[in-house]
């Protein structure tokens, strides 16, 4: 007997209504690679977009002669350029060590802080339940973001900043959009913004050799086309959008 | 080519034979929300039922003016009342910090202690492999309970209490029943005990505003009906029941 | 609407081309139980095979009168005998405490060391994304091996041994083969080497009572037959083989 | 050449002016054993006294048949009786595992909470710099209390409770009095309150066999007499009293 | 019988011969407060001076309206100005969270990196064995720096950067100079550079209210005068200077 | 006013009565370097002597071409030879990573195990309160050994081995002898056994270049002579011997 799979019975929030987005990424290019077309589209539709990058992303810098301090400057400049293409209002950088050790609870408290400070209605982040994702930064980032989204309104739970907690009044966080998901429920047509997405990704020169960059862009396009076809579209990013309360007990 | 999915070949233990149950929950109301109908039914059928609560569950208490000491007393009283409805023999409370940091190995050693002390034939606990469960307490609780169930008979592995280990003779732990599971294999008809379940859940007033309580009860009923229909029943909780040896290597 | 499942678009590496294998296992018998037939076959086809065992595996030793020092010697002798059957060139033993606490990052740095030192083209390890695997050693081992495979060529990421890093030139790691997987993509016909596999497993006497050993062998054979039939074979191990770059972002 | 020893140049706060005391102890009897005479005296002089106990103190309970739950009740009742003798207004119990693992930063955040909530002018705690103190609970407790006393007014540093931080206005913490110190600077004449001290200590029956209790009391009296003589007194507790700002950089 | 105190029998290295100094501090002003006069003097005598700051030092920033990003910029600008006064060649900033959680081994591996990269002959750092120092940042920083100084030449011990290890040839680290020490063995006459020291400290405006700055400078001058007198000088910083091999086994 | 120093009032145990010794060392040569003369003497007087080595001691092995497995064999052989000189009955090796990360509580639980198994009357270990000892292995080893000695008889505190706890009856641990102490209280005349000590130390060839070995032996002899003279002896090791109950609260 085949086991029945129990699905959530709560309706999927409508991403297209997003007004203020906090997009939380492990490395400096994940938001753009995973959801750059969608984010550019939402910006065109009037949404305010903030990026938060968890790690310092230093491990993948190709030029071995760059010191950490210089490499960091290069990365930030690239990220600023890419952000201008997508329409990012601000860049928050937590600076945890790339592929390194950092504390889940400290990270979550930092995410709580920025959720309470900026009061976004939508969170973007990588899907940490993606099977065969081996990068701990992605798993920790996605789990901490999901947990913070689920618990943000509990006033007894401290963020990393008492000043922020002091002034916070619970607000309405509508949804979490996971990218890099194996089971998307929300296809977003990015035919109109894919150019921006590609232009943004091309800014990230410090970590991709020219031919690797071309291969990455080809792979992305092929995945987006393939998924789009199954949805009757031409080019689409697939997101898993959920209400915060769905992130608990399988509701 | 679609990948074949390899299923376990070991038969599912028969939950209806349970004689002594240790139901291990992260928060004080999870056993009742996830499996209260089944537990009440098994109690009516003669099983002895013990609840073990991992955390102090303080984060969700609504009344901001309650001190931790007072909030704890309120929660315990509510839990005692609910337990009387279901038929719970004893309440064990480990008191780890809700949504906080505690050690997996210490928790598992504590669970080993109570498994060796009480010698249950069935364990209940949340399914920690539920995708999109973001609450670390649920994941840690389920993983530690599953691991303890799998390893309980290894006498070289210490529990948290040498006195208990000193007196322990390996016993037969028949099965683990996971609730909040997306892939249940054991539907339990709770038409006869759903009233008790609802009455028990209504005891948890400190953490639910009146309208949230009503919504929770509606959502539960809808999920239980929907799942029941797929099983040719009217109202059912869906559990994933496994033999302890299945919790290793995909046997 | 049923959610589409997004699959990887990168081709599966051909395991049969393996020339040098590093098989990373949590306990001293996992490689043989999970993939002994395949490994013996690849050895017959000319591949060089190295085993790395993460833990000291002491928890399951049956004879309670054996001291840790003596138990360790017994286990190593058994493992050497089994290795001779399969065709293992060297046994690396990290000695972390079985079912105990050890650091993910230290483990991964050690795995990086041996990947950089031995330069294998294929890694074997348990699938850590197997649902209902409760043994933390298996999850940690598989996650650390997968992450090390994905990051091994990043020269800014230190292994546990500066001497090894000093001499390392990035090499071509072709694939990772996960055993104990619920979604294998590579059936390997082991009709010709199953005898060796069984002979190897029978060496592990310290942790299996005679009847448990017989039961284990029966369960394995039944699973391998059942899976083989779905692939039009007689006896097969099912492996999930992936390119290292697939272990990130669902590429 | 003998090295000069650089002493602090900041004056020692006057303990006799204490109006509200938070006495932070690792186990349930340390405040009374280390400073019970002084605390009883300060209470007689009008000070309000609060006890905070870090651990659950379960390891030393003699009666092996007592379950943790029952042992905890016995300990709390004894502590309440002893507190009534000394004049303790409230008992705060954090419940960390005795002789076990708990997190320094979580503990310090909890101590910050109660310092900000109660606004004491003096803190009591064991001297964690006492050479040959082997009990980690004492070292962690003293270090966390000293650090919290030094940092309590930094509003950017969160306590464990945002509600408390929300309402906190920096207050004047005058001093920290360390007991169990090898280098006391403040002898307190306890001739008038030693009776109370002894009566309080005699309440702790669960952890001392009768003869051990008598020996403890004798040792204490002998130490207090010996130290008192060096100060021209008859019976004295020796405390190391310091201003919070002295607990940094050797000022 | 008074216990004899066993002193080291290895001669104290001559600090005045320092040619390249790595001064490792927990917060951005500690080197200057603890040893600014000595460092300015050594720079005048021709030594090259590098500062490494362990934490981001954000907790003490007074202006509550400054965001972390802006506060960081202010602190760095102040530190650059102060460094110009003393004669600092480069500022390395690790950015660990001030008064927060970070890993001892990661920190030590980072310190090993910069010791191997810069090859200083002298290290400066706070004395972590100072009794009644409660600030964990100071204790961790001093312990990690001392351990790194003691172990820097062991090539089997990895730093955080394989590239640096790859190129490192063991060099002669002559001494470690601890400031904030209660038992200095090396008085340094700073009559000629105290002006610079004061000017440098006055740069740190973000963390000191005007009157606190004046008090700090007064306290420092008084301590330096008092210590100087015991050494027959007028104004002196007292340092504990030791050979790296003395930092082990009491040699 | 000079602060009075409060000394312990409990008499120093008589080391010369030792019948069974467990000497706990961080690295494989510390017992011999720190107390080899005393241990050889006690063996001559009839005491049974067991060595427990906490780490694998691999960091200091000079020959860079030795793999860890081979280096370990070399170290063990050297240690066995040295042990034969001193009169060591058994060598227990825990194998924690030298200069690496391991858990204090796991280590202490292991030490509790061997204390309960072997029932020594005296423990030897490095003094972890030695100022300017920078090696974390020494500090952790000494603290864990001291704590285990202080708590060994508490039956509620588990060791790492339930089998051992099951059979343990509290025994009389008379004393702890700390070597590498700055404040020894027990001079032991080693004129008659210094030859053995030197012969034992000369076995440790893998970690000392010839000239370093000679220098070490000279430094040791000079320290032992110097200390001996202050005690009216010719050659003496200085130990700090304490009763287990002195290792708590400054009793």
């Amino acid at each position: 007997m085949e086991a029945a799979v129990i699905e959530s019975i709560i309706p999927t929030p409508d991403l297209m209504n997003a007004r203020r987005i906090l997009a939380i990424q492990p490395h400096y290019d994940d938001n753009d690679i995973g959801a750059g077309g969608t984010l550019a589209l939402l910006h065109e539709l009037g949404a305010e977009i903030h990026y938060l990058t968890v790690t310092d992303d230093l491990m993948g810098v190709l030029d071995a002669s760059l010191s950490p301090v210089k490499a960091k400057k290069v990365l930030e400049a690239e990220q600023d350029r890419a952000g201008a293409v997508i329409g990012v209002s601000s860049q928050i950088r937590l600076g945890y060590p790339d592929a390194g050790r950092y504390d889940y609870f400290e990270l979550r408290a930092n995410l709580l802080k920025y959720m309470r400070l900026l009061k976004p209605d939508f969170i973007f982040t990588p899907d940490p339940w993606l099977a065969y994702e081996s990068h701990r930064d992605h798993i920790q980032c996605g789990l901490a973001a999901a947990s913070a989204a689920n618990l943000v309104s509990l006033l007894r739970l401290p963020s990393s900043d008492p000043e922020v907690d002091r002034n916070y009044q619970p607000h309405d966080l509508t949804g979490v959009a996971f990218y890099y998901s194996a089971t998307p429920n929300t296809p977003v047509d990015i035919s109109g913004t894919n150019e921006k997405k590609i232009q943004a990704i091309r800014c990230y020169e410090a970590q991709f050799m020219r031919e690797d960059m071309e291969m990455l862009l080809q792979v992305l396009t092929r995945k987006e086309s393939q998924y789009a076809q199954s949805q009757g579209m031409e080019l689409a990013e697939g997101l898993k959008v959920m209400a915060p309360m769905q992130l608990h007990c399988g509701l």
Side-chain angles (χ1 to χ4, degrees), chain A residues 23-246:
Chain A
I24 299 170
Q25 62 186 350
H27 306 107
Y28 80 143
D29 53 4
D30 285 308
N31 286 337
D32 293 341
I33 294 176
T38 302
L39 288 161
L41 175 61
L42 291 171
H43 178 252
E44 291 179 359
L45 295 174
E48 186 185 315
I49 296 179
H50 302 271
Y51 274 22
L52 185 154
T53 307
V54 170
T55 75
D56 59 20
D57 210 10
L58 290 176
M59 282 300 134
V61 174
L62 297 172
D63 181 349
S65 72
L66 277 185
S67 75
V69 170
K70 284 191 193 139
K72 210 176 133 214
K73 287 208 177 125
V74 171
L75 295 181
E76 291 181 3
E78 291 183 359
Q79 198 183 31
D80 287 344
R81 279 200 301 280
V85 175
I86 300 293
V88 176
S89 295
S90 76
Q91 299 278 2
I92 302 155
R93 291 155 180 144
L94 299 186
Y96 289 106
D98 184 17
R101 184 194 315 275
Y102 44 87
D103 189 72
Y104 168 84
F105 293 100
E106 309 284 334
L107 171 57
R108 193 181 67 184
N110 264 312
L111 299 185
L112 282 172
K113 169 185 173 175
Y114 288 102
M115 288 189 195
R116 288 177 179 167
L117 190 66
L118 298 173
K119 304 194 173 182
D121 52 1
F122 273 87
I123 300 293
F124 277 63
T125 203
D127 186 334
W129 292 278
L130 171 69
Y132 303 104
E133 169 58 70
S134 70
H135 206 308
R136 196 180 185 88
D137 289 341
H138 282 234
I139 303 169
Q140 290 289 75
C141 172
L143 284 176
S147 177
N150 184 248
L151 302 173
V152 64
S153 63
L154 296 188
L155 295 178
R156 288 176 183 262
L157 188 67
S159 85
S160 61
D161 191 335
E163 188 66 22
V164 168
D165 292 351
R166 207 185 300 266
N167 297 309
Y168 179 63
Q169 298 299 330
H171 79 291
D172 190 28
L173 175 59
T174 307
V176 179
F178 296 105
Y179 51 84
Y180 301 149
S181 177
T183 56
N185 62 3
T186 304
V188 179
D189 190 321
I190 60 165
S191 326
T193 53
N194 192 41
E195 203 122 324
K196 283 189 182 175
K197 173 176 183 167
I198 287 172
Q199 192 188 338
I201 294 176
R202 281 199 195 282
C203 295
Y204 301 116
E205 298 176 340
Q207 303 206 354
F208 293 98
M209 283 184 294
R210 189 183 297 265
E211 63 271 25
D212 289 348
M213 175 61 83
E214 296 314 311
M215 198 185 75
L216 170 67
L217 293 174
Q218 276 182 35
V219 168
L220 285 179
T221 305
R222 216 173 313 156
K223 286 199 72 166
E224 289 158 7
S225 307
Q226 192 178 297
Y227 171 65
Q229 283 172 14
S230 76
Q231 307 293 323
M233 295 174 177
E234 213 173 307
L235 207 62
E237 288 170 345
L239 298 164
K240 176 83 164 193
V241 182
M242 302 179 77
M245 71 172 293
Q246 288 181 289

